[in-house]
Amino acid sequence: MKILIASILFLIFLFLAGIHVYWGIGGKWGVDSTIPTKENNKKVINPGPFECFVVALGLIGFGAFCLIKAGVIVFHLPRWLLNYGLWIIIAIFLLRAIGEFRYVGFFKKVNTTKFGKMDTKYYSPLCLFIAVSGIILELMS
């Protein structure tokens, strides 16, 4: 079960990393519904290629860490990272699911924009799924 959960998380992270690489090299598919916007559809953030590649690298690292934690791959990491790394990933995605109360997360106020609707329907639930799956993986490790 531990390997299954880690593999699912790895595939999710790999898929998300691939999308960020695509955006980093100039892809436009999905961009209009994946960046938070104000009510007037003005972007709240405007990430460039560098930011997309950094996020992609982090996501690949998160996926690899899940496989390491489940024992699927062996990679020697500092003890503190093995003990707390997954909790850090869990916290990141749980906080993302909760949001910052304005544009992002379950408790956002701006929820009628294209991003707001997609966030409510897909992005925040996915982040919550990642966090809960991470908790289950951590408790099984």
Side-chain angles (χ1 to χ4, degrees):
M1 185 69 160
K2 171 169 63 170
I3 293 173
L4 177 64
I5 292 170
S7 298
I8 290 169
L9 286 171
F10 174 76
L11 291 173
I12 290 169
F13 286 132
L14 187 63
F15 175 74
L16 295 174
I19 292 173
H20 281 81
V21 168
Y22 167 75
W23 290 328
I25 60 174
K28 299 295 180 201
W29 175 80
V31 171
D32 60 335
S33 62
T34 55
I35 295 177
T37 56
K38 297 178 182 181
E39 294 89 344
N40 63 2
N41 287 327
K42 184 174 170 83
K43 294 179 184 176
V44 175
I45 59 170
N46 195 16
F50 177 75
E51 290 86 357
C52 290
F53 293 131
V54 168
V55 170
L57 188 60
L59 291 166
I60 290 170
F62 290 169
F65 189 84
C66 290
L67 294 178
I68 292 168
K69 194 72 176 172
V72 174
I73 56 177
V74 177
F75 193 83
H76 297 287
L77 296 170
R79 174 69 46 207
W80 70 268
L81 188 56
L82 286 172
N83 289 339
Y84 301 110
L86 194 52
W87 287 113
I88 293 168
I89 295 169
I90 291 163
I92 289 168
F93 284 92
L94 186 58
L95 289 171
R96 167 56 184 85
I98 293 168
E100 41 76 69
F101 302 105
R102 179 137 187 138
Y103 299 108
V104 176
F106 285 120
F107 301 102
K108 66 187 162 295
K109 290 183 178 132
V110 179
N111 54 17
T112 58
T113 63
K114 195 172 205 180
F115 171 83
K117 292 174 185 175
M118 294 293 285
D119 185 54
T120 299
K121 192 171 184 179
Y122 299 111
Y123 311 146
S124 291
L126 177 61
C127 291
L128 184 60
F129 175 82
I130 290 170
V132 170
S133 297
I135 291 169
I136 294 167
L137 179 60
E138 180 64 44
L139 295 176
M140 296 176 96
S141 298

